[in-house]
């Protein structure tokens, strides 16, 4: 697991994630979709109803990082 605070461009180790029922359902559905497609570059954006908060999720592996940008590759490979 890698977590990047995109506002500060800093890696973090712990996050408290609070979701409404609707947001949790959307996250679950998008994760199920990504897992079933096994697409190398797929990701999902989960937003609140006001579009003020966003979670971006992607599935990665050491064999599946070529389609990520350089910042994300560094995060995946070095956790920094």
């Amino acid at each position: 697991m890698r977590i990047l605070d995109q506002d500060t461009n800093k890696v973090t180790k712990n996050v408290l994630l609070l979701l409404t029922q609707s947001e949790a359902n959307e996250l679950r559905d998008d994760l199920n979709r990504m897992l079933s497609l096994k697409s190398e570059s797929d990701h999902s954006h989960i937003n609140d109803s006001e579009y003020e908060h966003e979670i971006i999720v992607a599935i990665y592996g050491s064999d599946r990082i070529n389609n990520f940008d350089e910042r994300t590759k560094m995060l995946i490979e070095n956790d920094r």
Side-chain angles (χ1 to χ4, degrees):
M1 176 186 298
R2 301 294 188 258
I3 306 168
L4 178 67
D5 179 339
Q6 290 187 310
D7 290 338
T8 64
N9 196 32
K10 294 189 180 194
V11 174
T12 187
K13 302 292 183 189
N14 300 292
V15 171
L16 170 62
L17 185 59
L18 303 170
L19 303 172
T20 65
Q21 185 73 39
S22 175
E23 293 161 351
N25 287 333
E26 186 178 353
L27 178 58
R28 179 203 57 217
D29 293 347
D30 282 2
L31 286 171
N32 283 334
R33 179 187 55 77
M34 287 189 297
L35 286 167
S36 68
L37 292 176
K38 298 179 181 166
S39 174
E40 185 172 318
S41 61
D42 197 13
H43 68 282
S44 183
H45 298 254
I46 311 297
N47 295 285
D48 62 8
S49 59
E50 296 83 23
Y51 290 90
E52 292 181 12
H53 304 91
E54 179 177 53
I55 302 166
I56 302 169
V57 294
I59 298 172
Y60 72 92
S62 59
D63 59 333
R64 296 171 42 170
I65 65 169
N66 289 331
N67 290 336
F68 289 103
D69 62 29
E70 291 306 312
R71 176 63 183 106
T72 305
K73 286 179 187 178
M74 184 171 65
L75 177 65
I76 292 169
E77 293 174 332
N78 303 311
D79 197 19
R80 57 187 175 113

